[in-house]
Every structure is written in C-alpha cells, then in structure tokens.
Amino acid sequence: MRLENFFTYYKQQLKARQEQVKQAILQGVKNWDEYRYLTGKLHALEQEEQELTDLLKKTELEDE
C-alpha cells in the first residue's frame, strides 16, 4: 500500500468517526458527562485530522 493511499484512507476514517460522534450528540445524550465526553472525543478527532493534513502539506512542500 502506498503511503498516500494510507493517509487518504485514514483521513476518511477520521471523518467517518467524527460524523458518528456528531450523530450521537444530535440524537441526545443521557447527561452532561456524556455530552462532555462526546464533545471532547469530537475535538480530539478534529485535531488528529488537522495534524494529518498539516503533515501531508509539509511533506508535499519538502518534496518540491
């Protein structure tokens, strides 16, 4: 598997997990603790996606 394919696949998985968490929040949470947990998880997934995007951009710039 090429490295670019891995990053593309991983980014798609991150987006899918983010969507799952968003749907769980929208469907309603049992209590404040669950809401805080899910929003924290969503934030972590978004940060992870941003780190991956930044890494890919940095790698592209170094290749040029």
Side-chain angles (χ1 to χ4, degrees):
M1 175 183 263
R2 296 194 63 187
L3 192 57
E4 296 85 12
N5 293 343
F6 170 76
F7 284 127
T8 301
Y9 173 78
Y10 188 59
K11 191 170 182 178
Q12 289 172 347
Q13 293 301 306
L14 286 172
K15 286 184 177 285
R17 289 169 54 196
Q18 287 175 26
E19 194 58 38
Q20 290 172 347
V21 173
K22 287 177 186 177
Q23 288 302 314
I25 292 170
L26 291 174
Q27 290 175 359
V29 293
K30 296 175 188 171
N31 54 42
W32 179 248
D33 289 334
E34 184 179 3
Y35 174 78
R36 288 182 49 200
Y37 170 76
L38 289 173
T39 55
K41 187 173 183 176
L42 180 59
H43 181 70
L45 289 168
E46 290 170 344
Q47 278 187 307
E48 192 172 348
E49 180 187 0
Q50 187 60 50
E51 288 291 328
L52 181 62
T53 300
D54 293 346
L55 177 64
L56 289 171
K57 286 180 182 176
K58 183 179 176 184
T59 304
E60 287 175 2
L61 291 175
E62 289 177 357
D63 286 345
E64 293 176 356

